[in-house]
Amino acid sequence: MSELSAVYRETAEQISYNVANKVLPMAKLPDGLLTAYQSLCAELLEDREGKFSQAWASLPASARNLMEQAAFHGFYIANAWLQLSRVAQEISEQADTDGEIQEQEYNGIFTRLADESLKESLRKLKKARTDRSMLNSFKQVMAP
């Protein structure tokens, strides 16, 4: 993805924080988890493989017109964070009994979750075109 403006980055990060904070109290996250969240945010904003920007560009205009790209990017990042948090909890519970998970497996899980999160976010945005309650839910969860 091309270099993001400071406003774009700030908007995406704020929306991501707002959405994630509705589910997990972000102010109470341990430092390690907060660092992991910030790393995820930076990586998904960077969009090295261009998956987000390609997906956004391929959306129908009626879906893209529902919200700013930066706001949707933030929603997607939060969705990925919430999914990753859930799976990380399951992995840590399994690690106690099954031994350590391989780093390579973890990276594969992260990539798969990020891809699934993007697909789910896109599906929700497309649905919001005709489902007013879905659009209202987007707005509600993105608000501070």
Side-chain angles (χ1 to χ4, degrees), residues 69-130:
Q69 181 177 351
F72 183 69
H73 206 156
F75 178 83
Y76 153 60
I77 291 167
N79 193 6
W81 169 249
L82 295 172
Q83 286 187 29
L84 186 62
S85 298
R86 179 186 49 79
V87 170
Q89 179 64 35
E90 292 171 8
I91 288 171
S92 89
E93 290 169 2
Q94 287 177 349
D96 294 338
T97 58
D98 297 341
E100 302 277 332
I101 187 165
Q102 298 295 322
E103 183 70 26
Q104 187 176 6
E105 286 181 58
Y106 184 77
N107 287 337
I109 290 169
F110 170 76
T111 301
R112 184 177 49 80
L113 284 175
D115 291 348
E116 287 174 11
S117 177
L118 181 56
K119 287 176 189 172
E120 180 182 330
S121 298
L122 291 165
R123 184 181 48 77
K124 287 179 179 179
L125 185 59
K126 287 177 184 177
K127 184 177 180 182
R129 294 178 299 170
T130 57

Side-chain angles (χ1 to χ4, degrees), residues 15-84:
I15 295 294
S16 175
Y17 185 89
N18 292 349
V19 172
N21 197 44
K22 299 279 193 298
V23 179
L24 299 168
M26 298 297 283
K28 295 181 181 179
L29 283 182
D31 287 343
L33 284 179
L34 193 54
T35 301
Y37 166 76
Q38 291 164 340
S39 295
L40 172 79
C41 212
E43 186 168 333
L44 294 180
L45 273 172
E46 190 175 326
D47 193 24
R48 266 183 255 150
E49 295 178 21
K51 290 178 183 178
F52 177 82
S53 50
Q54 289 171 6
W56 178 260
S58 69
L59 277 171
S62 58
R64 286 193 314 264
N65 291 336
L66 293 176
M67 67 182 67
E68 294 177 31
Q69 181 177 351
F72 183 69
H73 206 156
F75 178 83
Y76 153 60
I77 291 167
N79 193 6
W81 169 249
L82 295 172
Q83 286 187 29
L84 186 62

